[in-house]
Amino acid sequence: MSAASCLLSEDQFMCSICLEVFTDPVSTTCGHNFCKRCITKHWDSNVLCVCPLCKKLYDRRPELEVNTFISQMAAVFRQSTPKEASRRSEEPAAKPGEVQCDFCTGTKLKAIKSCLKCEASYCETHLEPHLTAARLRSHQLIHPVDNLEDRMCKKHKKPLELFCKTDQTCVCLICPVLDHKNHEFVPLEEGYEGTKSELEKMVAELQQKIQLTLLKIQEMKQSAKLSREAAGKERADGDQVFIALKQLVEKIQANFRKTVEEKQRSTEKQTEGIIKELQQELSGQRERAADVEKLLLSEDHLHLLQSFSSISSAPPTKDWTQVSVHQRSHEGSVVKAVAQLEETISKEVKKMLKKVELRRIQQFAVDVTLDPDTAHPKLILSNDDKKVYCGNVRKKLLDNPQRFNRYGGVLAKQSFSSGRFYFEVQVKGKTAWTLGMTRETSKRKGDFTLSPQEGYWTVRLCNVDGYKAYDDSPVPLSLKSKPEKVGVFVDYEEGLVSFYDVDAAALIFSFTGCSFTHKLLPFFDSGLSLFWSCSAPLIISAVSHSA
């Protein structure tokens, strides 16, 4: 057999269609041999059944059977060809999921290309004719795919090479003539590029929507978080208020019980005193009755007459008919206690609500420091720019546009142009001070008045004039206690500037209906402008939320 195989020629076992050694060779009635798959696809893609070699026309498609002898000889030739065996051994076998070569027998090798014309996939060895044979070079090769039949027009059995923009579908070259008249067509590559561009645009739009959706999700999560935090603070405030009210009720209840018990003890003590006195009276009466009874038994006339005088002259007993214990009435005690409770609770609730309001405002606390470049030359600032003292010596400083040169003020470094903010200043021990807010553009040189028209919203203490708020005209303030720490709260959008006695959680004064259009800065005057000597400083203190 080996000797015979040496005489075999490759041309004798080559299919004239795929130019490869026969795979399942079949013979036509005209005597020519082809791969069964090749001749079947050839006739499927043509209207007439014609022999590819001799051009014999068949009226109907012949029944094809595999030529067993040629098949066996082709297999022997294929195995005996060193070139074929060597090349096949170097090519990788198809792994699960990879496209297999349609022409490999035995082990199926991995396909590297698929031919739309032949509707077959080829490994490197079986692809060679498509790269070398002139009549096969025009075939359209693509990356290997399994579903080659989906790339053929099901109606005309031709490759899908055009894209119908009118119907948005892929068609063959015959479709525009028969089924898609007057439609707009472009080559598949051009349709691919256009659709790819649209897909890229779609992906960009989707990515943008995804980002917006993610942002919205984060916004909702943040909103839920803030809601939980707000609810937690609200519960904490409520718990604190109701615990305090409960303690207040318990205290008033204890006082009520104590009052009732004290009344009862007083009545019992008075009753016990009278009873004790009556018992003493009773004891004397019994002794006298015994003496009288004993005298009655005497038969001595002289003794009876002489003793009667001493017995009858005994001190008279107390008349107890009008003596009684005053029953102290408890009627109305409950009503009185409840009225007291109502009045006390009303006062305490107002105090608690003020504390709750102040705690809410303190949530907007900001860090504020003094700006040395704005300080009057006589003012002394601490190293951390948190304290300002009144000095006696005017320092030689650069008189920049920001510095106060007549009015003894200093501003904060921080400015605010929106939202809400709050800070606290310790004024303990001060006999004069001024605090508030001012516009960034307000006057700082020479003499001017502290008023909203000048861009100043302030509250002042002076031992001579007392407390005043400097509105369009000064407003005297009547405070129940002397503040030791003052809180300043601003709501820029609402046009609100409020001052609080932090320790008492009491509102001192509010500027309302203000129209802010410039940046605002905290303003401080340690008393220098009032020519009032005071060694205690103004101190910007850290906000400690009220209990």
Side-chain angles (χ1 to χ4, degrees), residues 255-271 325-338:
N255 289 337
F256 165 72
R257 294 172 65 90
K258 182 180 178 181
T259 300
V260 172
E261 290 170 359
E262 285 178 351
K263 284 183 179 180
Q264 178 61 23
R265 281 196 297 271
S266 175
T267 301
E268 288 180 355
K269 185 176 181 180
Q270 183 182 3
T271 303
V325 177
H326 176 65
Q327 297 294 326
R328 304 187 68 177
S329 175
H330 297 286
E331 185 178 352
S333 298
V334 175
V335 174
K336 184 178 179 181
V338 171

PDB file of all heavy atoms in Angstrom, residues 255-271 325-338:
ATOM      1  N   ASN A 255     -44.142  67.391  95.827  1.00  0.00           N
ATOM      2  CA  ASN A 255     -44.451  68.561  96.658  1.00  0.00           C
ATOM      3  C   ASN A 255     -45.910  68.539  97.123  1.00  0.00           C
ATOM      4  O   ASN A 255     -46.235  68.898  98.261  1.00  0.00           O
ATOM      5  CB  ASN A 255     -44.175  69.847  95.884  1.00  0.00           C
ATOM      6  CG  ASN A 255     -42.687  70.079  95.689  1.00  0.00           C
ATOM      7  OD1 ASN A 255     -41.863  69.557  96.443  1.00  0.00           O
ATOM      8  ND2 ASN A 255     -42.333  70.853  94.672  1.00  0.00           N
ATOM      9  N   PHE A 256     -46.793  68.112  96.197  1.00  0.00           N
ATOM     10  CA  PHE A 256     -48.219  68.023  96.545  1.00  0.00           C
ATOM     11  C   PHE A 256     -48.442  67.015  97.672  1.00  0.00           C
ATOM     12  O   PHE A 256     -49.129  67.297  98.659  1.00  0.00           O
ATOM     13  CB  PHE A 256     -49.014  67.621  95.297  1.00  0.00           C
ATOM     14  CG  PHE A 256     -50.404  67.146  95.590  1.00  0.00           C
ATOM     15  CD1 PHE A 256     -51.398  68.031  95.985  1.00  0.00           C
ATOM     16  CD2 PHE A 256     -50.718  65.790  95.486  1.00  0.00           C
ATOM     17  CE1 PHE A 256     -52.680  67.587  96.268  1.00  0.00           C
ATOM     18  CE2 PHE A 256     -51.999  65.347  95.766  1.00  0.00           C
ATOM     19  CZ  PHE A 256     -52.985  66.245  96.164  1.00  0.00           C
ATOM     20  N   ARG A 257     -47.839  65.841  97.538  1.00  0.00           N
ATOM     21  CA  ARG A 257     -47.980  64.805  98.569  1.00  0.00           C
ATOM     22  C   ARG A 257     -47.390  65.304  99.895  1.00  0.00           C
ATOM     23  O   ARG A 257     -47.947  65.063 100.982  1.00  0.00           O
ATOM     24  CB  ARG A 257     -47.285  63.519  98.123  1.00  0.00           C
ATOM     25  CG  ARG A 257     -47.951  62.858  96.912  1.00  0.00           C
ATOM     26  CD  ARG A 257     -47.101  61.692  96.408  1.00  0.00           C
ATOM     27  NE  ARG A 257     -47.046  60.634  97.402  1.00  0.00           N
ATOM     28  CZ  ARG A 257     -47.904  59.622  97.478  1.00  0.00           C
ATOM     29  NH1 ARG A 257     -48.904  59.557  96.605  1.00  0.00           N
ATOM     30  NH2 ARG A 257     -47.794  58.702  98.395  1.00  0.00           N
ATOM     31  N   LYS A 258     -46.272  66.016  99.806  1.00  0.00           N
ATOM     32  CA  LYS A 258     -45.623  66.531 101.005  1.00  0.00           C
ATOM     33  C   LYS A 258     -46.522  67.542 101.719  1.00  0.00           C
ATOM     34  O   LYS A 258     -46.655  67.520 102.960  1.00  0.00           O
ATOM     35  CB  LYS A 258     -44.293  67.174 100.629  1.00  0.00           C
ATOM     36  CG  LYS A 258     -43.507  67.704 101.816  1.00  0.00           C
ATOM     37  CD  LYS A 258     -42.191  68.322 101.338  1.00  0.00           C
ATOM     38  CE  LYS A 258     -41.415  68.888 102.521  1.00  0.00           C
ATOM     39  NZ  LYS A 258     -40.143  69.515 102.063  1.00  0.00           N
ATOM     40  N   THR A 259     -47.172  68.409 100.937  1.00  0.00           N
ATOM     41  CA  THR A 259     -48.057  69.425 101.522  1.00  0.00           C
ATOM     42  C   THR A 259     -49.236  68.769 102.241  1.00  0.00           C
ATOM     43  O   THR A 259     -49.598  69.142 103.374  1.00  0.00           O
ATOM     44  CB  THR A 259     -48.573  70.369 100.426  1.00  0.00           C
ATOM     45  OG1 THR A 259     -47.454  71.002  99.801  1.00  0.00           O
ATOM     46  CG2 THR A 259     -49.496  71.436 101.000  1.00  0.00           C
ATOM     47  N   VAL A 260     -49.855  67.788 101.545  1.00  0.00           N
ATOM     48  CA  VAL A 260     -50.998  67.089 102.159  1.00  0.00           C
ATOM     49  C   VAL A 260     -50.563  66.383 103.435  1.00  0.00           C
ATOM     50  O   VAL A 260     -51.254  66.434 104.479  1.00  0.00           O
ATOM     51  CB  VAL A 260     -51.609  66.101 101.153  1.00  0.00           C
ATOM     52  CG1 VAL A 260     -52.670  65.225 101.833  1.00  0.00           C
ATOM     53  CG2 VAL A 260     -52.212  66.844  99.973  1.00  0.00           C
ATOM     54  N   GLU A 261     -49.419  65.726 103.410  1.00  0.00           N
ATOM     55  CA  GLU A 261     -48.931  64.993 104.572  1.00  0.00           C
ATOM     56  C   GLU A 261     -48.581  65.934 105.722  1.00  0.00           C
ATOM     57  O   GLU A 261     -48.819  65.624 106.909  1.00  0.00           O
ATOM     58  CB  GLU A 261     -47.720  64.148 104.183  1.00  0.00           C
ATOM     59  CG  GLU A 261     -48.086  62.964 103.287  1.00  0.00           C
ATOM     60  CD  GLU A 261     -46.864  62.280 102.712  1.00  0.00           C
ATOM     61  OE1 GLU A 261     -45.745  62.750 102.996  1.00  0.00           O
ATOM     62  OE2 GLU A 261     -47.037  61.284 101.976  1.00  0.00           O
ATOM     63  N   GLU A 262     -48.025  67.104 105.404  1.00  0.00           N
ATOM     64  CA  GLU A 262     -47.684  68.082 106.451  1.00  0.00           C
ATOM     65  C   GLU A 262     -48.957  68.610 107.123  1.00  0.00           C
ATOM     66  O   GLU A 262     -49.002  68.813 108.352  1.00  0.00           O
ATOM     67  CB  GLU A 262     -46.881  69.234 105.844  1.00  0.00           C
ATOM     68  CG  GLU A 262     -45.438  68.863 105.534  1.00  0.00           C
ATOM     69  CD  GLU A 262     -44.679  70.005 104.890  1.00  0.00           C
ATOM     70  OE1 GLU A 262     -45.336  71.018 104.530  1.00  0.00           O
ATOM     71  OE2 GLU A 262     -43.444  69.890 104.740  1.00  0.00           O
ATOM     72  N   LYS A 263     -49.993  68.873 106.327  1.00  0.00           N
ATOM     73  CA  LYS A 263     -51.283  69.293 106.900  1.00  0.00           C
ATOM     74  C   LYS A 263     -51.829  68.217 107.842  1.00  0.00           C
ATOM     75  O   LYS A 263     -52.314  68.501 108.946  1.00  0.00           O
ATOM     76  CB  LYS A 263     -52.285  69.562 105.780  1.00  0.00           C
ATOM     77  CG  LYS A 263     -52.064  70.864 105.040  1.00  0.00           C
ATOM     78  CD  LYS A 263     -53.176  71.055 104.005  1.00  0.00           C
ATOM     79  CE  LYS A 263     -53.010  72.366 103.264  1.00  0.00           C
ATOM     80  NZ  LYS A 263     -54.077  72.568 102.262  1.00  0.00           N
ATOM     81  N   GLN A 264     -51.734  66.973 107.392  1.00  0.00           N
ATOM     82  CA  GLN A 264     -52.255  65.876 108.197  1.00  0.00           C
ATOM     83  C   GLN A 264     -51.465  65.728 109.495  1.00  0.00           C
ATOM     84  O   GLN A 264     -52.038  65.528 110.571  1.00  0.00           O
ATOM     85  CB  GLN A 264     -52.207  64.572 107.384  1.00  0.00           C
ATOM     86  CG  GLN A 264     -52.685  63.335 108.119  1.00  0.00           C
ATOM     87  CD  GLN A 264     -54.148  63.451 108.548  1.00  0.00           C
ATOM     88  OE1 GLN A 264     -54.905  64.214 107.966  1.00  0.00           O
ATOM     89  NE2 GLN A 264     -54.537  62.704 109.577  1.00  0.00           N
ATOM     90  N   ARG A 265     -50.156  65.870 109.403  1.00  0.00           N
ATOM     91  CA  ARG A 265     -49.320  65.761 110.610  1.00  0.00           C
ATOM     92  C   ARG A 265     -49.634  66.893 111.584  1.00  0.00           C
ATOM     93  O   ARG A 265     -49.681  66.704 112.809  1.00  0.00           O
ATOM     94  CB  ARG A 265     -47.834  65.765 110.222  1.00  0.00           C
ATOM     95  CG  ARG A 265     -47.328  64.435 109.707  1.00  0.00           C
ATOM     96  CD  ARG A 265     -45.806  64.386 109.728  1.00  0.00           C
ATOM     97  NE  ARG A 265     -45.233  65.394 108.832  1.00  0.00           N
ATOM     98  CZ  ARG A 265     -44.970  65.171 107.551  1.00  0.00           C
ATOM     99  NH1 ARG A 265     -45.260  63.994 107.013  1.00  0.00           N
ATOM    100  NH2 ARG A 265     -44.441  66.118 106.815  1.00  0.00           N
ATOM    101  N   SER A 266     -49.873  68.095 111.060  1.00  0.00           N
ATOM    102  CA  SER A 266     -50.200  69.234 111.910  1.00  0.00           C
ATOM    103  C   SER A 266     -51.523  68.996 112.656  1.00  0.00           C
ATOM    104  O   SER A 266     -51.641  69.267 113.870  1.00  0.00           O
ATOM    105  CB  SER A 266     -50.289  70.503 111.062  1.00  0.00           C
ATOM    106  OG  SER A 266     -50.702  71.590 111.847  1.00  0.00           O
ATOM    107  N   THR A 267     -52.509  68.475 111.921  1.00  0.00           N
ATOM    108  CA  THR A 267     -53.808  68.183 112.541  1.00  0.00           C
ATOM    109  C   THR A 267     -53.663  67.103 113.604  1.00  0.00           C
ATOM    110  O   THR A 267     -54.233  67.207 114.718  1.00  0.00           O
ATOM    111  CB  THR A 267     -54.810  67.742 111.466  1.00  0.00           C
ATOM    112  OG1 THR A 267     -54.944  68.782 110.507  1.00  0.00           O
ATOM    113  CG2 THR A 267     -56.178  67.445 112.083  1.00  0.00           C
ATOM    114  N   GLU A 268     -52.918  66.068 113.303  1.00  0.00           N
ATOM    115  CA  GLU A 268     -52.722  64.973 114.255  1.00  0.00           C
ATOM    116  C   GLU A 268     -51.986  65.454 115.502  1.00  0.00           C
ATOM    117  O   GLU A 268     -52.309  65.048 116.637  1.00  0.00           O
ATOM    118  CB  GLU A 268     -51.948  63.839 113.585  1.00  0.00           C
ATOM    119  CG  GLU A 268     -52.770  63.066 112.550  1.00  0.00           C
ATOM    120  CD  GLU A 268     -51.970  61.946 111.915  1.00  0.00           C
ATOM    121  OE1 GLU A 268     -50.766  61.849 112.210  1.00  0.00           O
ATOM    122  OE2 GLU A 268     -52.560  61.177 111.143  1.00  0.00           O
ATOM    123  N   LYS A 269     -51.014  66.344 115.313  1.00  0.00           N
ATOM    124  CA  LYS A 269     -50.265  66.870 116.458  1.00  0.00           C
ATOM    125  C   LYS A 269     -51.177  67.691 117.376  1.00  0.00           C
ATOM    126  O   LYS A 269     -51.116  67.572 118.618  1.00  0.00           O
ATOM    127  CB  LYS A 269     -49.105  67.732 115.942  1.00  0.00           C
ATOM    128  CG  LYS A 269     -48.192  68.234 117.055  1.00  0.00           C
ATOM    129  CD  LYS A 269     -47.015  68.994 116.458  1.00  0.00           C
ATOM    130  CE  LYS A 269     -46.096  69.481 117.564  1.00  0.00           C
ATOM    131  NZ  LYS A 269     -44.933  70.239 117.030  1.00  0.00           N
ATOM    132  N   GLN A 270     -52.037  68.521 116.762  1.00  0.00           N
ATOM    133  CA  GLN A 270     -52.980  69.325 117.562  1.00  0.00           C
ATOM    134  C   GLN A 270     -53.954  68.432 118.326  1.00  0.00           C
ATOM    135  O   GLN A 270     -54.233  68.655 119.512  1.00  0.00           O
ATOM    136  CB  GLN A 270     -53.751  70.261 116.621  1.00  0.00           C
ATOM    137  CG  GLN A 270     -54.711  71.194 117.351  1.00  0.00           C
ATOM    138  CD  GLN A 270     -55.501  72.063 116.379  1.00  0.00           C
ATOM    139  OE1 GLN A 270     -55.368  71.916 115.177  1.00  0.00           O
ATOM    140  NE2 GLN A 270     -56.321  72.948 116.908  1.00  0.00           N
ATOM    141  N   THR A 271     -54.462  67.391 117.631  1.00  0.00           N
ATOM    142  CA  THR A 271     -55.401  66.461 118.269  1.00  0.00           C
ATOM    143  C   THR A 271     -54.736  65.729 119.423  1.00  0.00           C
ATOM    144  O   THR A 271     -55.332  65.555 120.509  1.00  0.00           O
ATOM    145  CB  THR A 271     -55.927  65.460 117.236  1.00  0.00           C
ATOM    146  OG1 THR A 271     -56.532  66.185 116.171  1.00  0.00           O
ATOM    147  CG2 THR A 271     -56.947  64.515 117.856  1.00  0.00           C
ATOM    148  N   VAL A 325     -61.105  70.217 117.430  1.00  0.00           N
ATOM    149  CA  VAL A 325     -59.943  70.249 116.512  1.00  0.00           C
ATOM    150  C   VAL A 325     -60.415  70.729 115.146  1.00  0.00           C
ATOM    151  O   VAL A 325     -61.358  70.175 114.572  1.00  0.00           O
ATOM    152  CB  VAL A 325     -59.291  68.853 116.379  1.00  0.00           C
ATOM    153  CG1 VAL A 325     -58.148  68.913 115.370  1.00  0.00           C
ATOM    154  CG2 VAL A 325     -58.798  68.402 117.735  1.00  0.00           C
ATOM    155  N   HIS A 326     -59.773  71.779 114.640  1.00  0.00           N
ATOM    156  CA  HIS A 326     -60.144  72.298 113.321  1.00  0.00           C
ATOM    157  C   HIS A 326     -59.677  71.318 112.230  1.00  0.00           C
ATOM    158  O   HIS A 326     -58.486  71.051 112.086  1.00  0.00           O
ATOM    159  CB  HIS A 326     -59.490  73.665 113.093  1.00  0.00           C
ATOM    160  CG  HIS A 326     -59.754  74.223 111.718  1.00  0.00           C
ATOM    161  ND1 HIS A 326     -61.020  74.572 111.275  1.00  0.00           N
ATOM    162  CD2 HIS A 326     -58.901  74.478 110.701  1.00  0.00           C
ATOM    163  CE1 HIS A 326     -60.939  75.022 110.043  1.00  0.00           C
ATOM    164  NE2 HIS A 326     -59.651  74.974 109.673  1.00  0.00           N
ATOM    165  N   GLN A 327     -60.652  70.788 111.519  1.00  0.00           N
ATOM    166  CA  GLN A 327     -60.323  69.842 110.446  1.00  0.00           C
ATOM    167  C   GLN A 327     -59.851  70.620 109.215  1.00  0.00           C
ATOM    168  O   GLN A 327     -60.639  71.271 108.537  1.00  0.00           O
ATOM    169  CB  GLN A 327     -61.559  68.994 110.085  1.00  0.00           C
ATOM    170  CG  GLN A 327     -62.070  68.114 111.200  1.00  0.00           C
ATOM    171  CD  GLN A 327     -61.048  67.037 111.540  1.00  0.00           C
ATOM    172  OE1 GLN A 327     -60.328  66.543 110.669  1.00  0.00           O
ATOM    173  NE2 GLN A 327     -60.984  66.676 112.816  1.00  0.00           N
ATOM    174  N   ARG A 328     -58.546  70.584 108.981  1.00  0.00           N
ATOM    175  CA  ARG A 328     -57.973  71.323 107.840  1.00  0.00           C
ATOM    176  C   ARG A 328     -58.422  70.679 106.532  1.00  0.00           C
ATOM    177  O   ARG A 328     -58.189  69.500 106.285  1.00  0.00           O
ATOM    178  CB  ARG A 328     -56.455  71.344 107.935  1.00  0.00           C
ATOM    179  CG  ARG A 328     -55.950  71.934 109.249  1.00  0.00           C
ATOM    180  CD  ARG A 328     -54.462  72.105 109.246  1.00  0.00           C
ATOM    181  NE  ARG A 328     -54.044  73.143 108.306  1.00  0.00           N
ATOM    182  CZ  ARG A 328     -52.778  73.528 108.147  1.00  0.00           C
ATOM    183  NH1 ARG A 328     -51.820  72.958 108.872  1.00  0.00           N
ATOM    184  NH2 ARG A 328     -52.462  74.460 107.279  1.00  0.00           N
ATOM    185  N   SER A 329     -59.069  71.443 105.754  1.00  0.00           N
ATOM    186  CA  SER A 329     -59.641  70.924 104.508  1.00  0.00           C
ATOM    187  C   SER A 329     -58.548  70.722 103.446  1.00  0.00           C
ATOM    188  O   SER A 329     -57.673  71.571 103.269  1.00  0.00           O
ATOM    189  CB  SER A 329     -60.693  71.891 103.969  1.00  0.00           C
ATOM    190  OG  SER A 329     -61.159  71.451 102.724  1.00  0.00           O
ATOM    191  N   HIS A 330     -58.613  69.571 102.766  1.00  0.00           N
ATOM    192  CA  HIS A 330     -57.712  69.297 101.631  1.00  0.00           C
ATOM    193  C   HIS A 330     -58.405  69.567 100.310  1.00  0.00           C
ATOM    194  O   HIS A 330     -57.838  69.341  99.245  1.00  0.00           O
ATOM    195  CB  HIS A 330     -57.243  67.837 101.663  1.00  0.00           C
ATOM    196  CG  HIS A 330     -56.440  67.517 102.892  1.00  0.00           C
ATOM    197  ND1 HIS A 330     -55.149  67.939 103.066  1.00  0.00           N
ATOM    198  CD2 HIS A 330     -56.779  66.830 104.028  1.00  0.00           C
ATOM    199  CE1 HIS A 330     -54.697  67.516 104.238  1.00  0.00           C
ATOM    200  NE2 HIS A 330     -55.677  66.849 104.853  1.00  0.00           N
ATOM    201  N   GLU A 331     -59.623  70.031 100.393  1.00  0.00           N
ATOM    202  CA  GLU A 331     -60.377  70.285  99.171  1.00  0.00           C
ATOM    203  C   GLU A 331     -59.692  71.405  98.367  1.00  0.00           C
ATOM    204  O   GLU A 331     -59.324  72.439  98.918  1.00  0.00           O
ATOM    205  CB  GLU A 331     -61.807  70.700  99.518  1.00  0.00           C
ATOM    206  CG  GLU A 331     -62.692  70.868  98.284  1.00  0.00           C
ATOM    207  CD  GLU A 331     -64.110  71.218  98.642  1.00  0.00           C
ATOM    208  OE1 GLU A 331     -64.446  71.180  99.845  1.00  0.00           O
ATOM    209  OE2 GLU A 331     -64.891  71.529  97.737  1.00  0.00           O
ATOM    210  N   GLY A 332     -59.544  71.176  97.074  1.00  0.00           N
ATOM    211  CA  GLY A 332     -58.903  72.164  96.208  1.00  0.00           C
ATOM    212  C   GLY A 332     -57.403  71.999  96.095  1.00  0.00           C
ATOM    213  O   GLY A 332     -56.752  72.666  95.275  1.00  0.00           O
ATOM    214  N   SER A 333     -56.822  71.104  96.901  1.00  0.00           N
ATOM    215  CA  SER A 333     -55.362  70.915  96.847  1.00  0.00           C
ATOM    216  C   SER A 333     -54.924  70.372  95.490  1.00  0.00           C
ATOM    217  O   SER A 333     -53.919  70.809  94.920  1.00  0.00           O
ATOM    218  CB  SER A 333     -54.917  69.965  97.964  1.00  0.00           C
ATOM    219  OG  SER A 333     -55.213  70.504  99.223  1.00  0.00           O
ATOM    220  N   VAL A 334     -55.703  69.423  94.980  1.00  0.00           N
ATOM    221  CA  VAL A 334     -55.363  68.828  93.685  1.00  0.00           C
ATOM    222  C   VAL A 334     -55.476  69.866  92.581  1.00  0.00           C
ATOM    223  O   VAL A 334     -54.597  70.000  91.714  1.00  0.00           O
ATOM    224  CB  VAL A 334     -56.264  67.617  93.383  1.00  0.00           C
ATOM    225  CG1 VAL A 334     -55.992  67.080  91.986  1.00  0.00           C
ATOM    226  CG2 VAL A 334     -56.051  66.530  94.423  1.00  0.00           C
ATOM    227  N   VAL A 335     -56.585  70.636  92.649  1.00  0.00           N
ATOM    228  CA  VAL A 335     -56.786  71.674  91.628  1.00  0.00           C
ATOM    229  C   VAL A 335     -55.645  72.687  91.677  1.00  0.00           C
ATOM    230  O   VAL A 335     -55.106  73.102  90.640  1.00  0.00           O
ATOM    231  CB  VAL A 335     -58.148  72.373  91.839  1.00  0.00           C
ATOM    232  CG1 VAL A 335     -58.297  73.549  90.879  1.00  0.00           C
ATOM    233  CG2 VAL A 335     -59.276  71.376  91.669  1.00  0.00           C
ATOM    234  N   LYS A 336     -55.283  73.090  92.895  1.00  0.00           N
ATOM    235  CA  LYS A 336     -54.209  74.049  93.056  1.00  0.00           C
ATOM    236  C   LYS A 336     -52.884  73.484  92.549  1.00  0.00           C
ATOM    237  O   LYS A 336     -52.105  74.179  91.873  1.00  0.00           O
ATOM    238  CB  LYS A 336     -54.083  74.431  94.528  1.00  0.00           C
ATOM    239  CG  LYS A 336     -53.045  75.510  94.793  1.00  0.00           C
ATOM    240  CD  LYS A 336     -53.018  75.868  96.264  1.00  0.00           C
ATOM    241  CE  LYS A 336     -51.959  76.933  96.546  1.00  0.00           C
ATOM    242  NZ  LYS A 336     -51.901  77.290  97.984  1.00  0.00           N
ATOM    243  N   ALA A 337     -52.641  72.199  92.870  1.00  0.00           N
ATOM    244  CA  ALA A 337     -51.390  71.562  92.437  1.00  0.00           C
ATOM    245  C   ALA A 337     -51.336  71.460  90.913  1.00  0.00           C
ATOM    246  O   ALA A 337     -50.294  71.703  90.290  1.00  0.00           O
ATOM    247  CB  ALA A 337     -51.261  70.181  93.071  1.00  0.00           C
ATOM    248  N   VAL A 338     -52.471  71.108  90.312  1.00  0.00           N
ATOM    249  CA  VAL A 338     -52.515  70.983  88.843  1.00  0.00           C
ATOM    250  C   VAL A 338     -52.326  72.351  88.189  1.00  0.00           C
ATOM    251  O   VAL A 338     -51.644  72.483  87.159  1.00  0.00           O
ATOM    252  CB  VAL A 338     -53.840  70.333  88.391  1.00  0.00           C
ATOM    253  CG1 VAL A 338     -53.990  70.414  86.882  1.00  0.00           C
ATOM    254  CG2 VAL A 338     -53.897  68.886  88.858  1.00  0.00           C
TER     255      VAL A 338
END
